[in-house]
Amino acid sequence: MRKQRKYMNPYLAGVLLGLALLSAIYFSGRGLGASGGIKYCVASVIGAFNHNAPGGTGYFAQYFEGGARPLQNWLVYEILGLLIGGFLSGLYSGRLKLRVEKPTHVSTTRRLLFAFLGGTFFVFGAQLARGCTSGAALSGMAVLSTAGFVTMLAIFGSAYAFAWFFRKNWI
Amino acid sequence: MSPFIEITNSSPFLQFITALLVGIIFGIALEQAGFSSSRKLAGMFYGYDATVIKVFFTAAITSMIGTQFLQYFGLLDMKQVYINHYYVYASIVGGVIMGAGFVMGGFCPGTGISALSIGKIDALFYLLGGAFGAFLFGEFYPKLDKLAMAGYKGPVKLSESMGINDGVFIFLVILIAIGMFWLAEKAEKRFARPDINTEY
């Protein structure tokens, strides 16, 4: 196997991420997003299985309003790009590999269970806060919005507060 | 003055190509930073790896300064740019739920997608969980809408609430970030875990 390259210097990677965010603001009029893209995919799946959802009274009906198709959305294309960019970076740095990443003392079942739960919590919370680390915290801070700073503090503060309870999964 | 308006009005195709390209840069930045590794991300909360704070705050500062420059050169009209709406309770409660999810799963949605892109199976489970979370929110929304809408303040800016000019505000954020970078470097030395903290 090809030798792995090191990760980029974090400050340099931060500048690159900042430029990605800046280009999103410049070209789309709003920042980056990730959980929003996931939400549109879910809306689309719900629409495919339940033909009453579009035009219905459920929460996801709003994403079909006026004949809109949830997959025809800026954020969906952006997260498709996110996947491609990550893949290219992994290819370049020799990090492409199918595997479950976990500390050696944690079982695979436990890691996958907590990964699933973590995703459920995170995206649920992101719907409430109208954005995740990308869309609410980072993009919100870029435009100096109070919502961005408050969401950022709530996410990081809470993660530190709960870290003790989940320490056995990591250290 | 703001190119996105022309793009939005021209063609959906151009709009989606731009979205794809912006996404690709986003993806390269996250993966190169090491955000495709849950153990690296979780290190933030146990002190052994503070990459998250360094990347996050450098990105925030870069974009804040960048928008100032674009405005200064007349390339961007901030009045046309979306400012996140502030719903006091939703931001706080949502953020707390997200923080719990972060330390359970080791990812946020963007970094989960980044990890999936290089083949992490745990990230696939994380994102399936995420899709389930979005579904649950939709199912429970009738019970949650009061909380979601409470304490609405509009698209407020923190600089304006503090009564200071945007430039001064950004300067303060930079000073705070430098302080945090200094702390982050100290913490990484103190809580170093060479057994965990290698290249993954």
Side-chain angles (χ1 to χ4, degrees), chain A:
Chain A
M1 201 187 115
R2 211 152 57 93
K3 197 176 172 292
Q4 276 194 10
R5 287 172 203 268
K6 281 190 183 306
Y7 293 126
M8 192 183 273
N9 173 297
Y11 300 107
L12 190 59
V15 171
L16 190 61
L17 179 57
L19 292 176
L21 174 50
L22 192 60
S23 62
I25 293 173
Y26 185 71
F27 288 115
S28 80
R30 59 187 296 172
L32 296 166
S35 57
I38 297 173
K39 174 188 71 186
Y40 286 110
C41 294
V42 171
S44 175
V45 171
I46 289 173
F49 281 97
N50 174 6
H51 295 282
N52 295 324
T57 52
Y59 176 75
F60 287 101
Q62 57 180 302
Y63 301 112
F64 297 92
E65 250 169 40
R69 280 180 294 178
L71 288 186
Q72 296 284 327
N73 185 285
W74 163 275
L75 277 177
V76 173
Y77 284 81
E78 188 224 270
I79 65 168
L80 191 63
L82 173 50
L83 268 175
I84 298 170
F87 180 83
L88 293 176
S89 164
L91 184 67
Y92 172 78
S93 296
R95 282 192 285 268
L96 294 182
K97 196 180 174 195
L98 272 182
R99 67 192 193 100
V100 176
E101 187 197 337
K102 60 180 186 58
T104 41
H105 67 272
V106 174
S107 74
T108 302
T109 319
R110 185 181 169 94
R111 170 66 191 128
L112 294 181
L113 177 73
F114 275 94
F116 187 91
L117 274 177
T120 307
F121 270 71
F122 211 120
V123 178
F124 186 95
Q127 301 312 306
L128 189 59
R130 296 163 178 85
C132 57
T133 334
S134 316
L138 186 58
S139 303
M141 283 167 64
V143 295
L144 314 184
S145 72
T146 310
F149 285 90
V150 170
T151 311
M152 182 272 294
L153 285 174
I155 295 175
F156 285 105
S158 148
Y160 275 107
F162 287 113
W164 188 83
F165 298 99
F166 299 103
R167 67 193 185 285
K168 293 212 168 81
N169 287 349
W170 302 109
I171 51 174

Side-chain angles (χ1 to χ4, degrees), chain A residues 6-10 13 95 99 101-103 111 160 170, chain B residues 29-55 102 105-107 111 120 122 188 196-200:
Chain A
K6 281 190 183 306
Y7 293 126
M8 192 183 273
N9 173 297
R95 282 192 285 268
R99 67 192 193 100
E101 187 197 337
K102 60 180 186 58
R111 170 66 191 128
Y160 275 107
W170 302 109
Chain B
L30 291 185
E31 208 289 320
Q32 282 297 315
F35 282 7
S36 51
S37 163
S38 58
R39 282 187 294 170
K40 200 168 172 64
L41 292 161
M44 184 69 230
F45 307 112
Y46 300 99
Y48 63 79
D49 190 315
T51 307
V52 171
I53 211 92
K54 297 181 205 170
V55 175
F102 206 158
F107 295 117
T111 52
K120 299 277 168 75
D122 43 326
E188 279 181 344
I196 303 175
N197 208 5
T198 48
E199 296 280 314
Y200 310 114

Side-chain angles (χ1 to χ4, degrees), chain B residues 68-87:
Chain B
Q68 291 297 309
F69 271 111
L70 288 178
Q71 282 185 90
Y72 182 76
F73 293 124
L75 293 169
L76 185 68
D77 180 5
M78 280 307 277
K79 285 191 195 72
Q80 309 283 348
V81 171
Y82 176 81
I83 307 287
N84 302 52
H85 291 243
Y86 185 32
Y87 296 81

